[in-house]
Amino acid sequence: MYDIIVVGAGPAGLTAAIYARRANKSVLLLEKGAFGGQITFSPKVENYPGFESVSGSELADKLVEQTLALGAEVEIETVTALRDENGVKTIETEDGNTYEAKAVILALGAKHRHLGLANEEAFIGDGISFCAVCDGAFYAGKTVGLVGGGNSALQEAILLSETSEHVYVIQNLPYLTGEQRLQEVLAERRNVTVLTETLVTAIPAGDTFTGVEITNTADNTTRTLALDGLFVAIGLEPENEAFAELAALDAAGYFDSAEDCLTKSAGVFVAGDCRRKGVRQVTTATGDGATAAIAACRYLDTL
């Protein structure tokens, strides 16, 4: 039995594991995919203390290296359930394995939000992508669209503009919501066109992706925008349903926990983007990881 099992190896989960190991607690870190979480998709991070500029993948690598150096155990498995019986937390995985711990920290992160349009799923990975770092090179010298107007979307658009022939930024609001500095960088790119008050309303069916139908909400006009690829950066959504019995969810599906990262279940804590919060940044994720780990260690010390 472990002292603490951390589910999720994004910045929140990795930080939680670091703090728990420094408190001399035995730690198992379970991750279903890539270590580092969503931050690995960011080409440049310029708002993390101590780094003037660092790629998301490099920052994640440093967190992973520190976690492993401190002695945390790691398994690549998808967690499907969490049971709490007589104070023992039992984790079940998709592979049929079970792990026990005295405390659990859920740092599940969130997944990319989809447009929810017909034919979208058919083209994901073959015309539609959620990561310019991962797939931008496939569209070098081609025309692409980028849906979204926040920080992540603008960073993706800037990266795409460096290799693509033309980039259309499609934003549903009358203005972009990303940082002013990112907007200024984007405005300097001559191969970028920003379409505000515009929705992607349809994705034509076919054997190959050819573009999208867009509608201007100001004048209700619709036209076809020919594209070689489409990148979607419209935010994230949590996948917390499997744990709702032990950790209450809010209306949007996020864990309904405050800054203390506590849940309605003793010994179960939450951290990072999966939690209800006003600001979702790598700094707030690592802050949650520290808070949850300290709370978990205090809980263990009372047993």
Side-chain angles (χ1 to χ4, degrees):
M1 180 184 293
Y2 295 92
D3 289 325
I4 299 173
I5 291 178
V6 180
V7 183
L14 291 166
T15 302
I18 289 169
Y19 269 72
R21 282 300 299 143
R22 286 177 56 83
N24 203 32
K25 307 301 182 185
S26 59
V27 176
L28 172 64
L29 186 64
L30 297 173
E31 168 57 44
K32 67 178 180 179
F35 288 92
Q38 300 295 335
I39 193 63
T40 60
F41 300 136
S42 181
K44 186 180 293 186
V45 178
E46 298 179 309
N47 56 2
Y48 192 81
F51 294 91
E52 183 177 346
S53 179
V54 62
S55 71
S57 59
E58 183 182 353
L59 181 59
D61 286 345
K62 290 182 179 296
L63 285 168
V64 172
E65 290 171 6
Q66 186 176 3
T67 303
L68 295 176
L70 287 169
E73 295 183 35
V74 173
E75 294 290 345
I76 307 298
E77 294 198 53
T78 299
V79 173
T80 56
L82 168 60
R83 292 185 283 109
D84 186 2
E85 299 171 346
N86 300 319
V88 176
K89 279 67 176 174
T90 301
I91 292 283
E92 300 177 359
T93 73
E94 203 171 69
D95 294 337
N97 296 320
T98 60
Y99 301 94
E100 293 184 341
K102 300 172 187 175
V104 169
I105 297 174
L106 298 173
L108 305 172
K111 66 178 181 179
H112 292 288
R113 180 172 284 112
H114 292 191
L115 296 170
L117 298 173
N119 306 315
E120 180 179 13
E121 299 295 327
F123 291 120
I124 290 177
D126 190 19
I128 296 179
S129 175
F130 300 90
C131 175
V133 175
C134 311
D135 302 327
F138 294 117
Y139 300 96
K142 298 183 179 181
T143 299
V144 298
L146 187 287
V147 185
N151 283 347
S152 296
L154 299 191
Q155 287 178 332
E156 297 265 287
I158 291 169
L159 181 64
L160 289 168
S161 71
E162 294 175 355
T163 56
S164 300
E165 180 180 355
H166 201 89
V167 179
Y168 289 94
V169 177
I170 305 167
Q171 164 73 320
N172 62 327
L173 299 174
Y175 48 84
L176 299 174
T177 58
E179 294 176 359
Q180 186 61 37
R181 183 173 181 278
L182 293 175
Q183 293 189 42
E184 291 170 356
V185 172
L186 198 64
E188 294 174 355
R189 303 295 168 97
R190 295 184 178 182
N191 63 334
V192 175
T193 300
V194 177
L195 304 173
T196 55
E197 296 182 284
T198 302
L199 295 172
V200 176
T201 46
I203 301 171
D207 295 331
T208 59
F209 180 83
T210 58
V212 295
E213 177 187 277
I214 58 174
T215 299
N216 184 294
T217 56
D219 57 19
N220 203 34
T221 57
T222 296
R223 66 185 176 97
T224 298
L225 185 64
L227 301 170
D228 297 299
L230 181 72
F231 290 80
V232 181
I234 55 174
L236 305 170
E237 56 187 357
E239 297 180 282
N240 300 332
E241 296 85 357
F243 310 97
E245 185 176 333
L246 296 177
L249 308 182
D250 67 9
Y254 290 94
F255 287 124
D256 196 12
S257 299
E259 298 296 326
D260 56 15
C261 296
L262 304 179
T263 71
K264 63 182 180 181
S265 302
V268 178
F269 309 87
V270 297
D273 285 353
C274 61
R275 181 181 72 79
R276 167 177 57 85
K277 53 168 56 180
V279 178
R280 288 187 173 84
Q281 294 284 303
V282 63
T283 48
T284 63
T286 55
D288 271 12
T291 298
I294 291 171
C297 291
R298 288 174 177 167
Y299 167 77
L300 293 173
D301 293 341
T302 65
L303 298 180

